[in-house]
Amino acid sequence: MNVADTEVVLSVLNKAGYQPTTELEGADIAFMNTCAIRENAEDKIWNRLDHWKSLKKRNPDMVVGILGCMAEHLRKDMLQKSGDIVDLVVGPDEYRRLPALVESISGFSEENNQLNPKPNTLNPATIAVKLSRTETYDDILPFRNEGISAFISVMRGCDKFCTFCVVPFTRGRERSRSLSSIVDECMELEQQGFREITLLGQNVNSYRDHLSVGSGSYGTNGTDKSHPKNPINFINPGSDNFLDFSDLLAACARAIPNVRIRYTTSHPQDFDQKLVDTMAEHDNICKYIHLPIQSGSNRILNLMNRTYTREHYLSIVKMIRKAMPEAALSTDIIVGFCTETLEDHEMTKSVMREVAYEGAYMFNYSPRPNTRAWNTLADDVPLEEKTRRLQEIIVIQNESSSRRNLAEIGQEHTILVEGRSKKNADEWKGRTDTNKTVIFTRLDAEVGEYRRVRINRSTSATLFGELIDLDRAANRIKSDIHGHDRGEVLYDLSPLVISSVNANEHSGIRQPAAMELTVLN
């Protein structure tokens, strides 16, 4: 989500005359786009700000801003605790105002094309954290760089109000983009040479487009009138009179049949047979589902306000595997939630063994201020015990991942080639439809190609294989609209993401100021 938001910010500022830079020392603006979902994520921001103290001293006119969920969550604390480092605190629904907010601090104006001396006093308008019920940035084309994978935010916010989660308070209530704008963006990305698109939302299964039904663009007659050469036949929205996420997924799959489509994240309450059938129907929809369970105990799920039971969750897993036996599942698990007993913990372990996930994001519970759990439930599981339980489920997951990957030996997969391996320049990496990383000897492979590989060994985290297709011509990616070869993937979605982007193809844009933007999750 933060990567997609970063691209929106880059677009807004680029339109105002700023150009990204990879040189932090010479930047006129430096932003950190933040996450507040766990305490550890916030700790990383404070540590990074400590590193920026000396930078600010050397360049006091540089505007430093904190963007995103942490800005929304902490607000004035960011300015007070950071000393003189932070100038701007901007929430995720206020990005359109960034050029004006920067100008109010730096004195930069697009009209005079220069930076004026920064005022010595802090402008009260430098905190902008108002949440919106309508903002989706639907009309802003994200600023993307050369690469093969792109992210599209299809909705913002969340209405679930899990007791441990700050998202409804930092990103606001749910609101969805129009289906037509998302399909248009997918088709544009295909024209630019992207080979994989991920549809993003805090809970994509809650996607609803009421406006497009009968609007004349995507109507109930099942025809996409805005793209007459590429008709898209929709499942009739029926009595609910809206287009849901399954309709969106089908529309995107039909519009860009040669591009892989992924999505994240799903909530079990809203996961239904229609979505499973849609995934099974289209070859270019990846058979990988991230389906957070959080806990295997119904008592804990109720305390978390997760609105489903263990039994309902397992019925979804059964439904998925019946329709798509090859589908891979991953999940999120919180260990040591309020009042969690050893019996509750054992229930989580048993669910993990029963489902046998391909992967899992596992964390100790960390109370987040202003959530319902923070206000009403005692964080009564000692840290040492949380850590012990966490290690137990990590062992279970590693065993499950190892078994799943061992079963891949001898299997053949189509992978999307992503670039060089981190450990060996002669080895390259790609990703399967089920989101597994494959390391292979490069031979004639190029970034952006779909290639066939045979798996010959594995670890719990990685598959290793060899190329078995020789016809590269059918797989080679097209050059982008500027005539350049596509580069390697720029964003590595690891728990800590630090990316700065160099827009070397925008030499025609006036360059009054440079911007460095760091993404921290």
Side-chain angles (χ1 to χ4, degrees):
M1 294 294 292
N2 274 9
V3 171
D5 276 6
T6 296
E7 291 173 343
V8 169
V9 171
L10 288 168
S11 180
V12 170
L13 290 170
N14 184 260
K15 187 177 180 180
Y18 295 91
Q19 180 177 340
T21 179
T22 57
E23 301 298 328
L24 183 59
E25 288 285 342
D28 300 293
I29 306 171
F31 290 151
M32 278 190 273
N33 197 3
T34 65
C35 174
I37 198 166
R38 286 180 296 275
E39 184 177 4
N40 183 51
E42 291 188 1
D43 290 342
K44 292 175 182 176
I45 301 300
W46 293 117
N47 291 336
R48 181 55 56 88
L49 284 174
D50 284 340
H51 289 302
W52 282 15
K53 284 181 180 179
S54 59
L55 179 69
K56 185 75 168 178
K57 288 181 180 179
R58 293 192 299 273
N59 185 8
D61 290 334
M62 181 177 69
V63 176
V64 174
I66 301 296
L67 312 180
C69 292
M70 190 172 171
E72 184 71 40
H73 186 50
L74 295 181
R75 305 187 180 195
K76 292 183 179 179
D77 286 347
M78 287 300 308
L79 295 177
Q80 295 171 353
K81 293 182 179 180
S82 66
D84 296 328
I85 303 175
V86 176
D87 304 299
L88 271 177
V89 178
V90 182
D93 289 349
E94 297 268 32
Y95 295 150
R96 292 180 190 272
R97 296 180 57 197
L98 277 171
L101 292 169
V102 171
E103 182 179 347
S104 72
I105 296 172
S106 66
F108 168 74
S109 171
E110 188 176 2
E111 294 181 0
N112 60 30
N113 198 34
Q114 64 181 6
L115 283 164
N116 296 326
K118 186 170 61 175
N120 293 324
T121 58
L122 195 64
N123 191 321
T126 53
I127 299 179
V129 292
K130 184 178 180 180
L131 291 174
S132 170
R133 285 185 174 268
T134 59
E135 181 61 86
T136 63
Y137 301 109
D138 201 20
D139 59 323
I140 295 177
L141 185 64
F143 186 99
R144 297 185 176 95
N145 295 270
E146 292 186 356
I148 58 173
S149 299
F151 304 92
I152 298 179
S153 290
V154 303
M155 62 178 296
R156 301 180 72 84
C158 183
D159 288 351
K160 296 304 184 191
F161 288 93
C162 299
T163 58
F164 57 81
C165 187
V166 299
V167 169
F169 308 104
T170 59
R171 287 190 171 268
R173 305 301 293 269
E174 290 176 356
R175 61 270 190 205
S176 301
R177 291 178 54 183
S178 67
L179 185 148
S180 58
S181 72
I182 297 167
V183 172
D184 285 343
E185 191 169 345
C186 284
M187 296 178 73
E188 175 66 23
L189 288 171
E190 181 184 32
Q191 290 297 313
Q192 294 175 10
F194 288 90
R195 303 302 297 269
E196 182 178 85
I197 294 173
T198 302
L199 306 180
L200 299 174
Q202 214 62 48
N203 172 24
V204 291
N205 307 106
S206 293
Y207 175 88
R208 297 290 185 271
D209 180 3
H210 297 271
L211 298 178
S212 292
V213 176
S215 66
S217 177
Y218 288 88
T220 56
N221 63 355
T223 302
D224 171 15
K225 297 180 180 179
S226 65
H227 299 295
K229 294 183 180 180
N230 298 282
I232 300 173
N233 297 315
F234 291 106
I235 300 173
N236 193 301
S239 58
D240 290 329
N241 206 37
F242 59 77
L243 299 171
D244 63 16
F245 183 66
S246 298
D247 297 322
L248 171 65
L249 200 57
C252 294
R254 294 185 181 111
I256 50 172
N258 296 317
V259 177
R260 276 184 175 177
I261 298 174
R262 301 187 186 274
Y263 66 88
T264 195
T265 297
S266 292
H267 192 289
Q269 177 188 335
D270 304 310
F271 204 100
D272 58 14
Q273 185 70 54
K274 181 180 177 182
L275 179 56
V276 172
D277 292 342
T278 300
M279 292 184 65
E281 179 183 354
H282 298 279
D283 290 339
N284 63 325
I285 299 177
C286 293
K287 307 305 183 280
Y288 167 76
I289 300 167
H290 185 68
L291 192 65
I293 188 170
Q294 305 298 2
S295 174
S297 163
N298 284 339
R299 187 183 75 84
I300 295 298
L301 289 173
N302 184 56
L303 285 176
M304 290 177 167
N305 192 37
R306 288 295 286 174
T307 65
Y308 57 85
T309 64
R310 168 196 181 104
E311 293 73 22
H312 177 68
Y313 184 95
L314 290 175
S315 72
I316 295 172
V317 173
K318 183 177 180 180
M319 176 174 64
I320 292 169
R321 290 191 167 149
K322 180 179 180 181
M324 299 177 290
E326 76 281 18
L329 292 173
S330 63
T331 196
D332 293 341
I333 295 176
I334 295 175
V335 177
F337 188 70
C338 308
T339 77
E340 183 188 76
T341 64
L342 285 175
E343 183 180 1
D344 296 321
H345 175 59
E346 290 299 323
M347 291 178 182
T348 297
K349 290 164 63 177
S350 70
V351 164
M352 294 181 68
R353 292 190 179 104
E354 182 170 351
V355 177
Y357 296 102
E358 267 80 7
Y361 296 91
M362 301 162 282
F363 306 97
N364 285 342
Y365 169 64
S366 60
R368 309 310 296 128
N370 302 321
T371 60
R372 195 188 311 174
W374 171 275
N375 291 324
T376 63
L377 299 174
D379 179 25
D380 57 355
V381 180
L383 177 60
E384 295 79 4
E385 177 62 13
K386 288 180 184 178
T387 302
R388 188 192 69 79
R389 296 178 189 180
L390 178 61
Q391 291 304 313
E392 286 188 353
I393 68 169
I394 288 174
V395 169
I396 292 172
Q397 183 53 54
N398 284 340
E399 292 173 349
S400 175
S401 297
S402 294
R403 286 194 301 272
R404 289 280 185 185
N405 284 352
L406 188 63
E408 295 281 4
I409 295 178
Q411 300 297 313
E412 297 179 2
H413 288 280
T414 297
I415 63 168
L416 177 60
V417 180
E418 295 182 345
R420 289 183 294 271
S421 165
K422 293 180 179 179
K423 295 183 178 180
N424 187 336
D426 294 329
E427 293 181 330
W428 277 36
K429 63 179 180 178
R431 200 168 297 273
T432 68
D433 172 84
T434 53
N435 205 37
K436 294 185 178 183
T437 298
V438 180
I439 304 298
F440 60 96
T441 302
R442 178 187 178 183
L443 298 180
D444 61 350
E446 297 291 346
V447 172
E449 292 179 346
Y450 290 116
R451 300 298 296 267
R452 293 290 291 175
V453 298
R454 181 182 294 113
I455 307 304
N456 50 38
R457 66 185 180 94
S458 68
T459 67
S460 62
T462 308
L463 302 177
F464 298 84
E466 58 184 354
L467 292 175
I468 58 175
D469 58 344
L470 301 176
D471 183 10
R472 300 176 65 238
N475 299 311
R476 186 179 294 279
I477 194 167
K478 297 178 181 179
S479 295
D480 67 15
I481 56 175
H482 298 283
H484 304 307
D485 290 334
R486 309 299 297 181
E488 293 184 35
V489 180
L490 293 182
Y491 296 114
D492 175 16
L493 294 184
S494 51
L496 174 61
V497 180
I498 304 173
S499 301
S500 54
V501 185
N502 185 18
N504 55 17
E505 65 186 42
H506 286 259
S507 57
I509 297 177
R510 286 182 295 122
Q511 304 172 21
M515 167 183 61
E516 202 276 352
L517 202 154
T518 297
V519 187
L520 290 171
N521 284 329

